[in-house]
Amino acid sequence: MTATEPQAETDERPIGFGRLLRKEDPRLIRGMGNFVDDIQLPGMLHLAILRSPMAHARIVSIDKSAAEAHPKVVAVITGEDLAAQGLAWMPTLSNDVQAVLATDKVRFQHQEVAFVVAEDRYSARDALELIIVDYEWIDPVIDVRKAMDADTPVIRDDLDDKTDNHIFDWETGDAAETEAIFASADVVVSEEIIYPRVHPAPMETCGCVADVERVSGQLTLWSTTQAPHAHRTVYALVAGLPEHKIRVIAPDIGGGFGNKVPIYPGYVCAIVASLVIGKPVKWMEDRTENLVSTGFARDYVMQGEIAATKEGKILAVRTNVLADHGAFNGVAAPVKYPAGFFGVFTGSYDLEAAYCKMQAVYTNKAPGGVAYACSFRITEAVYLVERIVDCLAYELDMDPAELRLKNFIQPDQFPYETKTGWVYDSGDYEPAMRKAMEMAGYDELRREQAEKREKGELMGIGLAFFTEAVGAGPRKDMDILGLGMADGCELRIHPTGKAVVRLSVKTQGQGHETTFAQIVAEEIGIPPEDIEVIHGDTDNTPFGLGTYGSRSTPVSGAAAALVTRKVRDKAQIIASGMLEVSVADLEWNKGSFSVKGDPEKSVTIQDIAMKAHGAGDLPDGIEGGLEAQICYNPENLTYPFGAYICVVDIDPGTAVVKVRRFIAVDDCGTQINPMIIEGQVHGGLADGVGMAMMEMISFDEDGNCLGGSLMDYLIPTALETPDWETGHTVTPSPHHPIGAKGIGESATVGSPPAVVNAIVDALKPYGIRHADMPLTPSRVWETMQGNHTPPI
Amino acid sequence: MQVDMTVNGQEVSEEIEPRHLLVHFIRDQLGLTGTHWGCDTSNCGTCVVLIDGEPVKSCTTLAAMAGGHDVQTVEGMEVDGELDPVQEGFMQCHGLQCGFCTPGMMLTARALLNNDPNPTEEVIREAISGQICRCTGYSTIVRSIQWAAAHESAVTVGTSNGSAS
Ligand code: FES
Ligand code: FES
């Protein structure tokens, strides 16, 4: 153990899975982390971006002369300058294009128009004010419901022959079969359910430092990226830079939540600036820039329908979705899945039919459609089904827990193929639901609620049961911009038995440096403190698609386990030579091989490592060294699930909602580090409370973004969040080498419906069946008055 | 203009622009990058430092205003290789994930415990309510501060000016 390795008070010091303090903490609690904005290079310049004040306007002229004359300004670059180099446009993650700097017109408020490079950050910002841009107003398209109306201005007139604001139509399931069931069902419930536009808003905004070496042409980019390898390849494709001359380093990242998956114009601007000027250039956005221009999430208007028997057997679910993608289609999702994994909107229930029809459109709003901890649109899907199931419970006057229990997919039905073609790997839903109900004291809560209702007090109990699909994904089906979603891993055991493991994924707070050391430790018996985890540096790690969509453990975690097994297999052969027995006569005891039936005769993995590098012969055909590399192609997604219960109290006089309790039972398969799992769940639960009750990026009719600061875009603090109560069940994934399923986004997916269901449940005495997020006091008040309006 | 102040017990004297924010002074000029910056509107608290023992948002303070005062940043919490119990508590109770809000949270906790060695959960939540953590959901931060309160030695730890007695 090194001097700085933290030790838990009641330390299990597991060599493998178990509660283990984090290896990343000693530097972070000392303020010794290394975030992008901490990087200072000799001669480094600062870049600031001029953004459009209008949502839709033609650029008539740009006068940059005054800015150029500023004594500390080194360069001022416009879209026209970039166009001259063929760099004015770049590809998005969905094969659309996005302007790096606007040339013809601006298409959303705060779009990038020009940039300044100056000697210090204050001067760069000062000079932005000296650039004069003449705009000619065009009516913006803000109301998503009107985007396809006949006389609406065409936003993307840059695309050949574009005559409307249509992006794509998509459908899944069987329309006719579903219609037949709806036509004859006892009960049909229909509701418009809106998931408003929200923003991941990590505490660290996006930024980078680009450094192009003049002579070698080598570009080093320190960048806030969740996917360093994918970014490097895209830079190579966009800028025509040779890929081996690009090194992307993601240092410590201050939270990502999907916001740091896309490539933003600022990164490209910084690279161009460094290339042109020959000095390192830093770009760091401010909070407003982060909220108004980088990847948002959600923005789905969903018409949900559910059909059931009068006894409460759910037969079918159907939905029609209108998706607002903003001005450029920048959705981060595998190519064949334009709506991400929304297809799992059938939820955790055994249905007879399902159908979804979706239309995606352009509007004059910021582009994006990133995860925000949603595993590719599963948040929207789960919200839809869990909300509409509650609407059904309301109509049937049935307890929502009972309704869910009655309709779950049963354990013997796994692997279960849904009506939209997803194969759920494993699940045992009822025990998770029962456990949550027991932790909550569900029956007692219902009794308390009945008493309170008698007295006119408003108390609500909300449930949600979710199944996620994470760990994208099998390369036969899934790629982003043509890059397969497999992940590499490399393990090297040094002669003294210490190890280094190199990952293609990258932590933004999830604790990869700890959990991946634990995976290797579990498989080879070397203590985690003797295992160094290297990640976030394309020069020093194998290729892979990065960390988002809860894919690190399902994909890279599998790679880490398998590469370790490969090393162990080699170690076994070397051990057989050392002990002079056949390989088959050895048994593994987590850290050493011994001769079967003669445990005294054994060699440790450390002995073997020294032998592998040391003097003397090795068994025939075995090379020296003890290392391996693999690239793991997942055979299926993994399907974590969970049961959540939220208890709220509403002040009838002010409509202020207090989240009194939140109980979360999660099943993410095999647990690697329960402490970290609990932390991942807690964070997601707070996200859910935020989205359900506070967060929304809204616009006025002129396209002004009304959520451009943390005063307008409200994020929960310690006062809005309760002390979370968590529990778990363990249903391993059958196809993952250690049975783990991933946990990063479960709580963000599962908590919003639980909170909304609780609030709607509290409002039952008012005859309320549905209310849309964000359920702020004013919106709850309006709902109580019978004036609920959709948020968009 | 010139500004003089004490930072983590050391006298500093630097040339600054009058409009220079304290957060940029600490980060860019003194190179103490443990203090972070996360918003434009004084809402996030990732920039919190202690000025004369009180938590202050350094993004909303001019460097000049800190002249003549005693500033403490996260880098000053560990004294002679001894971690502040607050730092230890954050590690023990998983009070951090990405670590971006952590320095500010820990300094607020330090100031709180100096004034109230045994705060209730409610008091802790109130104390950190001007700061945002996007990762942890706050429960583990509360537990970390409770851990520190339970393990606090008799000697006041980590304050460079001893103002907390
Ligand atoms: S940087 Fe956000 S409050 Fe200071
Ligand atoms: S630990 Fe990431 S913001 Fe608090």
Side-chain angles (χ1 to χ4, degrees):
Chain A
M1 196 174 88
T2 63
T4 53
E5 201 82 28
Q7 189 161 356
E9 239 190 336
T10 49
D11 200 350
E12 302 165 14
R13 297 217 66 72
I15 298 181
F17 303 157
R19 186 181 199 274
L20 179 72
L21 296 194
R22 299 198 324 162
K23 290 161 85 70
E24 34 279 270
D25 288 355
R27 67 172 185 275
L28 295 170
I29 53 118
R30 287 173 172 84
M32 307 288 275
N34 186 33
F35 296 89
V36 167
D37 200 20
D38 299 349
I39 292 164
Q40 301 253 29
L41 300 177
M44 188 176 78
L45 302 170
H46 294 261
L47 185 149
I49 294 176
L50 180 73
R51 293 173 183 277
S52 161
M54 293 179 201
H56 202 188
R58 196 155 298 286
I59 296 176
V60 179
S61 64
I62 302 180
D63 179 356
K64 58 181 187 175
S65 54
E68 283 174 327
H70 186 291
K72 294 202 168 162
V73 165
V74 180
V76 183
I77 307 281
T78 64
E80 218 171 279
D81 300 327
L82 289 186
Q85 312 285 325
L87 291 171
W89 294 84
M90 63 179 193
T92 69
L93 295 176
S94 320
N95 287 316
D96 192 357
V97 290
Q98 172 175 359
V100 177
L101 295 177
T103 45
D104 49 347
K105 61 178 192 177
V106 290
R107 293 177 170 83
F108 67 94
Q109 190 195 31
H110 301 296
Q111 187 180 336
E112 299 78 2
V113 172
F115 69 80
V116 167
V117 183
E119 287 169 23
D120 61 83
R121 46 174 119 219
Y122 286 34
S123 301
R125 299 250 160 191
D126 289 344
L128 292 184
E129 315 234 321
L130 302 174
I131 303 173
I132 299 160
V133 186
D134 194 6
Y135 296 99
E136 188 181 285
W137 172 270
I138 304 170
D139 285 335
V141 183
I142 301 305
D143 184 345
V144 65
R145 293 177 174 85
K146 297 194 181 137
M148 289 296 289
D149 286 0
D151 50 356
T152 309
V154 178
I155 298 168
R156 296 300 303 280
D157 46 0
D158 58 295
L159 300 173
D160 286 345
D161 307 324
K162 194 79 187 141
T163 54
D164 59 20
N165 294 314
H166 180 260
I167 306 178
F168 65 79
D169 290 314
W170 176 80
E171 61 174 351
T172 185
D174 189 321
E177 203 175 281
T178 309
E179 172 53 30
I181 289 177
F182 268 88
S184 62
D186 300 343
V187 188
V188 170
V189 181
S190 175
E191 192 75 71
E192 184 184 76
I193 294 171
I194 293 172
Y195 212 133
R197 178 177 280 234
V198 292
H199 198 281
M203 293 326 295
E204 176 201 35
T205 57
C206 300
C208 68
V209 176
D211 186 15
V212 181
E213 272 177 47
R214 251 194 179 189
V215 179
S216 65
Q218 170 84 32
L219 161 67
T220 307
L221 186 76
W222 289 265
S223 151
T224 50
T225 173
Q226 299 177 219
H229 288 279
H231 278 203
R232 182 189 60 189
T233 304
V234 175
Y235 293 131
L237 295 172
V238 181
L241 296 169
E243 198 167 0
H244 65 295
K245 297 269 188 190
I246 306 175
R247 178 180 182 189
V248 176
I249 301 174
D252 284 320
I253 303 284
F257 319 110
N259 188 233
K260 291 165 181 170
V261 174
I263 288 181
Y264 295 120
Y267 301 145
V268 178
C269 293
I271 294 170
V272 171
S274 180
L275 201 63
V276 172
I277 301 165
K279 288 197 172 168
V281 174
K282 180 187 278 184
W283 167 66
M284 206 68 219
E285 58 182 17
D286 62 27
R287 176 56 62 189
T288 296
E289 293 180 282
N290 178 255
L291 287 169
V292 298
S293 73
T294 63
F296 71 92
R298 329 284 190 250
D299 223 343
Y300 270 21
V301 176
M302 306 178 276
Q303 190 63 42
E305 288 178 284
I306 191 164
T309 66
K310 54 185 183 309
E311 293 78 28
K313 171 79 192 88
I314 304 173
L315 303 171
V317 181
R318 180 163 64 184
T319 181
N320 200 326
V321 180
L322 183 57
D324 186 341
H325 282 223
F328 307 100
N329 184 19
V331 168
V335 172
K336 281 192 210 161
Y337 300 83
F341 301 166
F342 188 81
V344 301
F345 71 96
T346 53
S348 314
Y349 311 108
D350 186 22
L351 306 181
E352 290 175 17
Y355 178 68
C356 165
K357 189 170 157 44
M358 179 180 295
Q359 181 172 68
V361 297
Y362 291 118
T363 59
N364 286 113
K365 300 174 195 166
V370 296
Y372 186 7
C374 84
S375 357
F376 303 122
R377 302 287 190 188
I378 286 177
T379 313
E380 292 91 323
V382 166
Y383 181 65
L384 173 81
V385 63
E386 289 306 289
R387 191 77 274 288
I388 199 81
V389 163
D390 255 39
C391 293
L392 175 65
Y394 180 98
E395 287 306 321
L396 295 171
D397 199 20
M398 194 169 169
D399 185 281
E402 189 193 330
L403 178 59
R404 287 179 170 84
L405 284 163
K406 204 177 174 119
N407 286 285
F408 280 149
I409 300 163
Q410 294 302 305
D412 59 2
Q413 290 178 281
F414 290 93
Y416 177 86
E417 183 167 352
T418 71
K419 293 297 171 196
T420 45
W422 299 76
V423 181
Y424 293 4
D425 59 347
S426 63
D428 194 357
Y429 296 162
E430 185 170 339
M433 188 71 171
R434 298 257 179 230
K435 185 164 188 175
M437 291 169 71
E438 194 188 309
M439 283 169 66
Y442 188 72
D443 296 338
E444 182 47 42
L445 285 171
R446 285 287 176 207
R447 268 195 293 278
E448 183 193 343
Q449 183 185 41
E451 280 167 25
K452 291 214 152 128
R453 278 190 180 155
E454 292 282 303
K455 292 188 271 179
E457 291 175 28
L458 301 178
M459 168 186 170
I461 305 156
L463 291 94
F465 195 98
F466 66 90
T467 300
E468 266 199 294
V470 306
R475 37 188 317 161
K476 66 177 177 355
D477 297 324
M478 293 179 192
D479 68 271
I480 289 186
L481 284 179
L483 300 172
M485 300 187 79
D487 277 81
C489 191
E490 184 196 305
L491 175 66
R492 212 179 273 181
I493 316 284
H494 300 312
T496 57
K498 315 287 182 194
V500 55
V501 59
R502 298 166 194 276
L503 316 176
S504 56
V505 290
K506 168 68 201 168
T507 183
Q508 313 115 45
Q510 299 92 332
H512 291 31
E513 291 166 35
T514 310
T515 44
F516 279 81
Q518 290 184 267
I519 294 172
V520 174
E522 178 75 24
E523 296 290 336
I524 204 148
I526 295 174
E529 60 262 32
D530 288 348
I531 301 165
E532 192 67 21
V533 177
I534 309 273
H535 62 159
D537 178 349
T538 54
D539 267 10
N540 286 304
T541 56
F543 186 87
L545 275 213
T547 294
Y548 43 86
S550 300
R551 63 189 301 284
S552 288
T553 301
V555 187
S556 237
L562 292 179
V563 80
T564 314
R565 287 177 195 174
K566 203 167 165 184
V567 167
R568 197 174 72 200
D569 288 346
K570 180 174 178 182
Q572 186 167 4
I573 298 170
I574 297 172
S576 77
M578 292 167 78
L579 295 168
E580 297 176 332
V581 292
S582 78
V583 164
D585 287 334
L586 289 174
E587 71 189 358
W588 173 245
N589 328 294
K590 207 186 201 181
S592 63
F593 281 104
S594 59
V595 176
K596 281 181 188 159
D598 188 1
E600 295 294 291
K601 280 187 80 181
S602 78
V603 284
T604 65
I605 187 72
Q606 289 80 5
D607 300 334
I608 299 167
M610 187 53 89
K611 178 72 186 173
H613 295 88
D617 271 346
L618 293 172
D620 279 353
I622 293 295
E623 290 177 4
L626 195 53
E627 58 192 63
Q629 174 160 9
I630 68 156
C631 183
Y632 177 74
N633 176 28
E635 97 183 38
N636 185 9
L637 302 176
T638 57
Y639 293 80
F641 56 90
Y644 288 0
I645 299 178
C646 177
V647 185
V648 300
D649 297 295
I650 303 180
D651 182 332
T654 62
V656 169
V657 180
K658 173 93 190 145
V659 178
R660 187 205 305 178
R661 289 179 67 197
F662 202 110
I663 296 93
V665 172
D666 275 277
D667 192 321
C668 61
T670 304
Q671 300 210 332
I672 299 164
N673 185 329
M675 177 188 85
I676 287 179
I677 289 170
E678 188 195 30
Q680 292 294 296
V681 171
H682 283 191
L685 295 176
D687 281 353
V689 167
M691 288 181 280
M693 294 169 53
M694 303 162 76
E695 298 178 27
M696 175 168 169
I697 299 279
S698 55
F699 298 83
D700 70 12
E701 59 194 17
D702 289 337
N704 294 307
C705 178
L706 305 178
S709 80
L710 294 181
M711 293 225 236
D712 307 293
Y713 188 75
L714 301 183
I715 291 175
T717 72
L719 294 180
E720 287 81 31
T721 46
D723 192 24
W724 315 107
E725 301 166 57
T726 57
H728 63 269
T729 57
V730 175
T731 311
S733 167
H735 64 82
H736 188 283
I738 58 172
K741 288 187 167 185
I743 188 67
E745 300 162 313
S746 287
T748 316
V749 166
S751 55
V755 178
V756 174
N757 287 349
I759 295 172
V760 172
D761 183 53
L763 299 178
K764 200 171 181 184
Y766 292 82
I768 305 296
R769 191 177 79 178
H770 175 70
D772 281 312
M773 303 185 279
L775 288 164
T776 58
S778 68
R779 291 180 51 78
V780 172
W781 180 258
E782 282 167 10
T783 305
M784 287 161 67
Q785 309 307 311
N787 295 328
H788 182 75
T789 46
I792 46 177
Chain B
M1 63 180 283
Q2 187 179 317
V3 67
D4 307 295
M5 64 181 90
T6 311
V7 178
N8 299 329
Q10 292 207 312
E11 305 286 326
V12 300
S13 178
E14 295 272 334
E15 218 26 70
I16 56 163
E17 277 186 62
R19 63 173 175 169
H20 230 122
L21 295 175
L22 181 59
V23 65
H24 291 141
F25 175 72
I26 291 170
R27 288 179 49 81
D28 296 347
Q29 217 151 325
L30 302 182
L32 297 171
T33 53
T35 303
H36 296 142
W37 170 91
C39 74
D40 321 319
T41 47
S42 207
N43 288 98
C44 76
T46 58
C47 61
V48 164
V49 299
L50 301 186
I51 299 185
D52 302 334
E54 287 295 322
V56 170
K57 288 176 171 167
S58 64
C59 70
T60 325
T61 308
L62 293 170
M65 289 159 71
H69 292 274
D70 185 283
V71 176
Q72 195 197 346
T73 70
V74 64
E75 287 89 347
M77 290 186 86
E78 181 183 23
V79 178
D80 298 332
E82 270 301 298
L83 287 180
D84 186 308
V86 170
Q87 291 174 300
E88 189 65 42
F90 271 70
M91 283 203 293
Q92 293 290 341
C93 302
H94 194 28
L96 67 151
Q97 290 181 28
C98 77
F100 202 75
C101 71
T102 314
M105 289 285 182
M106 292 194 305
L107 286 164
T108 299
R110 177 72 269 144
L112 169 68
L113 295 181
N114 286 347
N115 293 320
D116 180 356
N118 255 316
T120 61
E121 178 181 340
E122 244 177 289
V123 168
I124 294 174
R125 285 183 178 270
E126 182 72 45
I128 59 170
S129 66
Q131 287 162 259
I132 297 172
C133 174
R134 201 60 161 151
C135 299
T136 66
Y138 304 105
S139 284
T140 56
I141 294 181
V142 172
R143 287 180 211 162
S144 302
I145 299 172
Q146 288 169 331
W147 189 100
H151 290 76
E152 198 88 276
S153 59
V155 191
T156 304
V157 197
T159 46
S160 52
N161 65 345
S163 67
S165 52

